[in-house]
Amino acid sequence: MMKNIEPKNNIGDCVHLLPMQKKALGRLGIKTIEDLLFHFPTRYSDIAKICKICDLVEDELATVYGKIGKIKTRKSFRTKIPMAEAIIEDSTGKLKIIWFHQVYIAKMIHEGSLVGLQGRINGSKTSKAGLYMTNPEIEKTKDLPIDANNTLFSKTGETFGMPIYPESRGITSRWFYHTIQKIFANNMLDKITDPIPEDILKKYSLPSLKTALVWIHSPKKETDAKVARKRFAFEEIFYIQLARQQSKKDYNKRASFCIDINKRELEQFIARFPFELTDGQQKAINVITSDMSKDKPMLRLLEGDVGSGKTAVAATISFAVISSRKKNAQYENLQVAYMAPTEVLAKQLFESFIQYFAHLPIQIGLITGTGCKKFSSKIISDSEKAITSISRAQLLKWIANGETNILIGTHSLIQKVVKFKNLACVIVDEQHRFGTEQRAKLAQKSEVSPHFLSMTATPIPRTLALTIYGDLDLTLLDKMPLGRKPVITEIVLPGAREITYKKIHKELERGKQVYVICPRIDEPDPEKEQALLVKSVKEESERLKRNIFQKYRIGVLHGKMPPKSITPSTESKESVMFAFANHEIDILVATSMVEVGINIPNATIIVIEGAERFGLAQLHQLRGRVLRSADQAYCYVFADTKTQKTLARLKALRTAKNGFELAELDLMLRGAGELVGKKQWGISDIGMEAIKNIKMVEAARTEAKKIIEENIDLKNYPILAKQAEKFVIPLHFE
Ligand code: ADP
Ligand code: MG
């Protein structure tokens, strides 16, 4: 049946597939035999770790398998939180399950469903309610993995656990296992070449590709699977590093504008700030200006929490660039382009820059999708009047002839029609919201490689930054400016809800506004996740309206709303945000995914429901929404469980110095899956495993650098070249 199969063969040509299986493979993006081999189990159901219900102990994370008994939905007695309740039964006993805020679960499973559940055990054996499990993860199964004394999977015990593949309707983990075993039996592995050079594998004791594939799909012991995953994790990070080092070397090949730093002028510029620079800001300015005065382009990422003062750094750098003339005598004006992710932010930056540069005879332009403006202090000294709306054509002309010194804008900046005379420096705010492709486009606007400063407030651990921004050097602004009032953060247990709502009432009476963020819902299907989130936002807003804040105006904001209103009466993200900003709404109930990015100083309270389901860094980011008001701000973190571990984790929100520290903690305590923005980095789950291991990330970086140093186009490594290409940021546009 399976004869002479090649890695590139379609699965359907080698194996008989039912229509349902064909569809399922399609959904998973698996076409060829090779795709199938590189479709890895997410875990191995470790038979030994499945608990009998009769043996459960409180405050533990447990996995149980059994049959679902009665299932129902209701609202909690006092606070009316929607919840689903069920009973699970195995051969040793029964256990109650509660899902807070997740009533949709009741629709996913039915009485009689066979499921595996993993979750925390709460309650106590001695109390009336007994033990119960809260918010467990569910896996639907066809069979129960334990039948008295044997395992479902292997009678002979030849694997240590059953590989569990990413779920898709129509295809089972068993099918994957058996099909892959058949493929192995056909000597398929001999036809696949290992892209990683042997000396690297040896140096880091990594298994060959062939061994790793066998071990990952059918490990005989736990370490087999671990070592195999380690190899694949290394491999992916290594490819990313190759691509980044390649692009860095390529960027460095071209000339840059060597910036002449006039220390005294720079100090004078800084002296006009209404505040003292923090140490972090000063250090960042020093290292960036020093980079820019060398003969190759500066390439750096500046990481700092919201409010850490990145704009002042950007302004100082911009000043250094536009005031540098001597060494570039052949150029008149050097130019700076500053790109922001949204129109609102671009306008805010434009205004900040006018403050910073009002005393200097320069021109600052603003280009967005809806219009252009320029500020020029040459003409009128009153900075209000010095701002004028101008035509796009006029602005483009000034950019092209060098009269515009600093251009601020949204992605309108990267359109091909925008041509600079001497673009010497590019600054990108919140680069993670741009595609890497767009960054490359902006950098390519000039014959000379502009200096490149990227700034982000997204809290990610160092290992991840070194990987995804592998072509950039890193600088961290790790402390906030002095005198900032920290947000008072409280972890609120179920019993303290009422007191907290009272406190919030007081602030509402004082005319303050409130954000309520609804819990995250993890769902493999993003569409469904969205739908469920919308539902939970609506339910929560109704509950608050009915039971808690009857007197106040409550608005709803979620990702499924249209961005802008088509008619004045339709609600959109924009119209709701506008109403909130104008204080036509007192309480805004929103999903965590929705951008609530606009700064509304009167909103001084944020309530986060189901906090245990968020990573710390994400909670910190949500809290950042109330950071900017002059009044005291409050963050109430509502947790549904009382378990010590969860509480200890949440308490870090009160002690950690910044978001980056919290991101590191997330990584240590909960793994790479919890990192903010994980979905958008294009790293697979297995690649993310490497992010936990600084040694591995550094090894991948070192080896990639070494290879690229001698071999920028990877001519001697054709297979590597192909793999790295998948992670390349395209460099040429249109
Ligand atoms: P972000 O890093 O989020 O871009 P901003 O640059 O917008 O932060 O700064 C936030 C606020 O802090 C601004 O009002 C700015 O004027 C102020 N600020 C910046 N640096 C300092 C400092 N060293 N001391 C006091 N306030 C500062
Ligand atoms: Mg900023």
Side-chain angles (χ1 to χ4, degrees):
M1 195 179 62
M2 262 200 203
K3 259 183 209 141
N4 289 326
I5 52 167
E6 298 293 326
K8 297 289 174 212
N9 284 161
N10 281 333
I11 298 170
D13 300 341
C14 314
V15 183
H16 178 69
L17 289 177
L18 302 171
M20 217 165 60
Q21 294 169 329
K22 220 181 214 165
K23 260 198 206 152
L25 289 172
R27 272 198 303 273
L28 293 165
I30 301 171
K31 256 204 208 131
T32 64
I33 296 289
E34 195 172 9
D35 295 340
L36 186 63
L37 291 180
F38 283 87
H39 182 67
F40 299 146
T42 38
R43 62 197 174 82
Y44 306 87
S45 82
D46 188 344
I47 306 295
K49 284 193 186 136
I50 295 173
C51 310
K52 293 182 196 158
I53 288 179
C54 67
D55 291 342
L56 293 174
V57 194
E58 65 188 82
D59 218 24
E60 246 183 13
L61 192 66
T63 307
V64 295
Y65 276 82
K67 198 193 260 181
I68 291 289
K70 252 199 166 41
I71 181 154
K72 61 176 183 192
T73 59
R74 66 180 183 97
K75 302 220 157 129
S76 72
F77 177 59
R78 284 234 208 117
T79 50
K80 308 285 183 235
I81 293 173
M83 54 205 261
E85 267 184 22
I87 301 286
I88 183 169
E89 181 172 8
D90 72 3
S91 58
T92 73
K94 289 183 183 179
L95 179 71
K96 184 152 118 182
I97 320 292
I98 303 175
W99 288 274
F100 291 103
H101 283 292
Q102 297 179 345
V103 287
Y104 63 91
I105 300 261
K107 300 203 175 73
M108 280 170 49
I109 50 174
H110 312 283
E111 214 174 306
S113 299
L114 294 179
V115 296
L117 298 174
Q118 191 178 55
R120 184 72 59 187
I121 303 296
N122 290 79
S124 91
K125 273 193 172 160
T126 51
S127 78
K128 202 174 123 214
L131 292 176
Y132 55 96
M133 191 183 250
T134 45
N135 293 333
E137 281 178 32
I138 306 189
E139 178 202 345
K140 282 200 230 177
T141 60
K142 284 223 171 71
D143 314 88
L144 294 180
I146 300 176
D147 62 302
N149 43 32
N150 213 333
T151 65
L152 162 77
F153 198 65
S154 132
K155 288 208 164 78
T156 55
E158 66 190 12
T159 61
F160 90 93
M162 169 179 178
I164 309 283
Y165 291 85
E167 187 191 352
S168 182
R169 239 175 322 112
I171 206 153
T172 60
S173 288
R174 261 189 217 226
W175 181 89
F176 278 111
Y177 178 81
H178 289 296
T179 311
I180 289 170
Q181 292 309 309
K182 274 188 222 157
I183 293 170
F184 285 168
N186 264 268
N187 300 328
M188 181 76 240
L189 291 172
D190 296 335
K191 296 176 187 163
I192 294 181
T193 339
D194 197 332
I196 310 266
E198 227 181 293
D199 54 324
I200 295 183
L201 294 178
K202 260 209 189 114
K203 188 164 164 189
Y204 300 103
S205 315
L206 296 168
S208 69
L209 178 57
K210 200 169 152 177
T211 309
L213 282 171
V214 172
W215 283 358
I216 202 160
H217 289 293
S218 44
K220 287 211 169 58
K221 48 189 190 307
E222 203 170 348
T223 47
D224 287 356
K226 263 198 189 144
V227 171
R229 294 186 84 84
K230 193 170 147 194
R231 180 216 141 101
F232 290 115
F234 173 88
E235 187 172 329
E236 186 166 332
I237 302 305
F238 180 59
Y239 297 151
I240 295 174
Q241 290 290 352
L242 280 173
R244 296 295 185 271
Q245 297 306 326
Q246 232 173 352
S247 99
K248 177 173 191 163
K249 195 153 186 227
D250 195 48
Y251 200 84
N252 281 345
K253 269 198 315 211
R254 301 186 307 166
S256 66
F257 291 95
C258 178
I259 305 299
D260 175 35
I261 307 291
N262 182 328
K263 273 234 156 88
R264 211 172 47 85
E265 276 183 26
L266 206 61
E267 275 162 21
Q268 280 168 355
F269 183 79
I270 293 169
R272 291 186 71 263
F273 292 173
F275 46 74
E276 295 259 310
L277 289 182
T278 63
D279 278 358
Q281 285 170 316
Q282 189 63 61
K283 276 188 197 146
I285 291 169
N286 293 350
V287 66
I288 293 166
T289 49
S290 146
D291 278 2
M292 292 196 305
S293 54
K294 291 178 186 143
D295 58 357
K296 61 177 191 186
M298 179 254 318
L299 277 170
R300 191 167 287 275
L301 174 69
L302 183 64
E303 296 180 306
D305 270 349
V306 170
S308 60
K310 295 183 292 295
T311 317
V313 175
T316 310
I317 299 315
S318 305
F319 172 77
V321 172
I322 62 173
S323 61
S324 160
R325 290 205 183 78
K326 269 181 246 142
K327 284 192 193 165
N328 297 287
Q330 71 270 41
Y331 306 113
E332 289 152 74
N333 284 342
L334 295 188
Q335 293 168 297
V336 174
Y338 191 161
M339 183 154 77
T342 66
E343 187 155 341
V344 177
L345 283 172
K347 282 181 180 155
Q348 279 178 4
L349 281 176
F350 181 60
E351 270 147 35
S352 305
F353 263 54
I354 290 171
Q355 303 282 320
Y356 285 119
F357 289 92
H359 61 298
L360 294 169
I362 65 158
Q363 192 196 93
I364 304 174
L366 173 70
I367 184 166
T368 67
T370 58
C372 298
K373 282 186 181 169
K374 70 133 194 183
F375 164 84
S376 173
S377 64
K378 273 182 212 166
I379 312 162
I380 308 166
S381 57
D382 177 355
S383 67
E384 279 289 301
K385 288 185 196 144
I387 302 170
T388 44
S389 286
I390 51 169
S391 75
R392 200 180 158 73
Q394 180 61 67
L395 183 60
L396 290 178
K397 222 162 102 189
W398 280 329
I399 297 165
N401 72 20
E403 268 184 66
T404 304
N405 305 80
I406 300 174
L407 180 66
I408 296 171
T410 52
H411 41 263
S412 307
L413 263 176
I414 56 173
Q415 286 162 357
K416 213 177 168 187
V417 287
V418 184
K419 292 205 168 70
F420 291 84
K421 186 155 192 215
N422 295 309
L423 181 58
C425 180
V426 170
I427 302 173
V428 177
D429 214 343
E430 285 310 328
Q431 107 148 0
H432 70 285
R433 291 211 252 169
F434 292 109
T436 37
E437 200 176 323
Q438 286 163 311
R439 181 188 105 195
K441 276 187 187 179
L442 192 50
Q444 290 293 304
K445 281 198 152 301
S446 152
E447 292 293 299
V448 183
S449 286
H451 299 290
F452 185 86
L453 178 66
S454 175
M455 306 200 295
T456 180
T458 308
I460 59 173
R462 193 176 159 71
T463 43
L464 183 60
L466 282 172
T467 304
I468 50 183
Y469 307 118
D471 48 347
L472 307 177
D473 298 315
L474 298 184
T475 300
L476 189 60
L477 292 182
D478 55 0
K479 287 219 183 76
M480 289 301 230
L482 283 177
R484 191 82 37 86
K485 268 192 208 149
V487 179
I488 293 180
T489 303
E490 276 183 34
I491 317 295
V492 182
L493 297 179
R497 269 180 182 261
E498 277 173 55
I499 301 173
T500 309
Y501 282 136
K502 272 195 192 133
K503 290 187 199 166
I504 297 173
H505 260 116
K506 270 202 188 133
E507 294 297 306
L508 282 163
E509 270 162 37
R510 293 179 50 223
K512 296 292 168 195
Q513 288 164 279
V514 182
Y515 292 103
V516 175
I517 305 296
C518 283
R520 189 179 66 187
I521 293 172
D522 280 323
E523 249 291 320
D525 178 355
E527 265 303 299
K528 202 160 150 205
E529 183 171 305
Q530 269 297 319
L532 293 169
L533 270 169
V534 169
K535 196 161 168 237
S536 84
V537 165
K538 285 184 181 156
E539 279 173 356
E540 179 67 6
S541 77
E542 278 158 26
R543 181 183 80 88
L544 292 174
K545 178 107 220 141
R546 227 179 309 115
N547 305 318
I548 319 275
F549 299 116
Q550 292 93 341
K551 261 188 6 201
Y552 293 97
R553 296 160 298 180
I554 299 180
V556 159
L557 186 67
H558 58 75
K560 282 242 159 149
M561 288 162 76
K564 284 179 198 249
S565 300
I566 308 154
T567 63
S569 59
T570 53
E571 286 214 321
S572 64
K573 286 183 197 161
E574 194 185 58
S575 72
V576 171
M577 273 322 287
F578 194 71
F580 193 54
N582 280 342
H583 204 165
E584 288 153 22
I585 290 173
D586 301 298
I587 301 166
L588 185 65
V589 184
T591 59
S592 58
M593 284 160 192
V594 157
E595 295 295 331
V596 196
I598 306 168
N599 180 19
I600 297 169
N602 193 48
T604 53
I605 299 154
I606 186 162
V607 170
I608 303 166
E609 287 285 351
E612 63 271 39
R613 265 160 282 167
F614 290 97
L616 291 171
Q618 199 184 4
L619 290 170
H620 174 76
Q621 272 201 320
L622 291 168
R623 174 171 62 181
R625 311 232 192 278
V626 294
L627 192 72
R628 289 220 174 169
S629 49
D631 267 303
Q632 180 61 56
Y634 301 87
C635 173
Y636 296 111
V637 178
F638 282 24
D640 295 327
T641 61
K642 285 187 192 168
T643 61
Q644 287 313 310
K645 250 195 200 156
T646 309
L647 294 183
R649 191 175 72 85
L650 291 176
K651 283 204 177 117
L653 281 172
R654 299 168 54 146
T655 50
K657 281 195 290 297
N658 54 54
F660 301 94
E661 204 177 302
L662 289 169
E664 299 283 349
L665 264 174
D666 275 339
L667 185 60
M668 261 162 44
L669 297 176
R670 305 184 90 190
E674 281 308 317
L675 297 176
V676 173
K678 184 193 160 245
K679 280 180 191 159
Q680 61 205 33
W681 295 315
I683 303 180
S684 73
D685 288 343
I686 210 164
M688 289 302 279
E689 287 174 20
I691 300 304
K692 267 195 139 169
N693 186 340
I694 181 82
K695 278 197 191 130
M696 193 191 284
V697 170
E698 275 166 359
R701 194 174 161 95
T702 311
E703 297 306 327
K705 264 190 182 161
K706 238 192 261 167
I707 290 183
I708 296 298
E709 211 43 60
E710 294 155 13
N711 233 289
I712 183 168
D713 46 13
L714 291 172
K715 254 202 194 109
N716 301 346
Y717 301 88
I719 322 173
L720 271 189
K722 246 194 180 157
Q723 297 291 351
E725 213 170 83
K726 294 180 192 159
F727 296 94
V728 163
I729 306 159
L731 272 179
H732 301 285
F733 62 106
E734 286 133 82

